[in-house]
Amino acid sequence: MKTWKQNLPVILLIAFELAVGILLFIEPEKFTKAVIIGFGVLLLVIGLVYLIRFFADRKQLGVSLWGTLILSICSLIVGCILAFASEFIMGLFAVLAVLYGIFLVIAGVYKGRTFFELQHLGLPVSVVLLFSAILSIGLGCLLVLHPFESTVTLWRVAGISWMIEAIGDSLALVLSARK
């Protein structure tokens, strides 16, 4: 019993990792949107607290007070964007996927060109470079042609990663508790 009480923070972290992993795997878009909205609401609350603090302490008019006002305004603006424009933010993930896809295609073409130039010059070159070029071009094209599906897949892979991390942490906790 003493071991469980001592390790309660770790157990809660493992439960959190597992829950996030499962939610990212099952409903990646909805969960990500909920996290974005939740973070936006949190920033709105923080912004309001600092705005109230500014007006309550405005008679002191120090430098830190103006920092409080700036922090509250920034928190309110970012909070509004995240809370009320979550679809826009989700769309940014697709834009980032397309940009990364374009980068991968360019990098793949460069790798392929390097492979063939080195081969033409008779210099030693590994087939791994050609394989890397083909893989980069293929993945880049996949990201450019299917950005939304690629983003969902990325979130699912992240979910699997969180679940594996939770399992590893659980095993470490159990093994350390046995000693």
Side-chain angles (χ1 to χ4, degrees):
M1 189 66 160
K2 182 181 176 185
T3 304
W4 290 107
K5 286 182 181 179
Q6 286 176 330
N7 292 318
L8 185 61
V10 176
I11 293 168
L12 291 174
L13 176 66
I14 291 169
F16 177 75
E17 287 175 335
L18 193 58
V20 168
I22 290 169
L23 289 170
L24 275 174
F25 184 73
I26 294 173
E27 289 291 342
E29 290 179 89
K30 288 180 183 176
F31 180 70
T32 304
K33 186 176 178 181
V35 168
I36 291 169
I37 292 171
F39 190 63
V41 169
L42 178 67
L43 285 176
L44 285 171
V45 169
I46 290 170
L48 286 174
V49 167
Y50 279 109
L51 191 62
I52 291 168
R53 187 177 291 170
F54 170 78
F55 285 114
D57 298 338
R58 70 175 182 237
K59 294 187 187 337
Q60 295 174 4
L61 286 182
V63 174
S64 63
L65 188 63
W66 290 107
T68 303
L69 179 63
I70 291 169
L71 181 64
S72 70
I73 291 170
C74 290
S75 293
L76 289 169
I77 290 170
V78 174
C80 283
I81 291 170
L82 293 177
F84 301 113
S86 61
E87 288 295 326
F88 173 73
I89 302 297
M90 293 293 290
L92 288 179
F93 288 124
V95 170
L96 291 174
V98 169
L99 291 174
Y100 185 61
I102 292 169
F103 171 77
L104 280 176
V105 169
I106 292 169
V109 169
Y110 179 77
K111 288 177 190 177
R113 186 178 135 239
T114 302
F115 174 83
F116 288 113
E117 281 180 358
L118 290 174
Q119 193 177 38
H120 178 72
L121 294 172
L123 297 171
V125 63
S126 174
V127 144
V128 174
L129 185 60
L130 181 62
F131 178 73
S132 176
I134 293 169
L135 189 62
S136 291
I137 292 170
L139 289 175
C141 288
L142 187 66
L143 284 171
V144 169
L145 297 175
H146 304 287
F148 292 105
E149 293 85 359
S150 301
T151 304
V152 169
T153 302
L154 175 67
W155 289 120
R156 285 202 168 114
V157 168
I160 291 169
S161 152
W162 277 67
M163 288 187 280
I164 291 170
E165 188 73 27
I167 291 167
D169 289 345
S170 299
L171 290 173
L173 180 65
V174 168
L175 292 175
S176 70
R178 286 188 177 178
K179 290 183 180 181

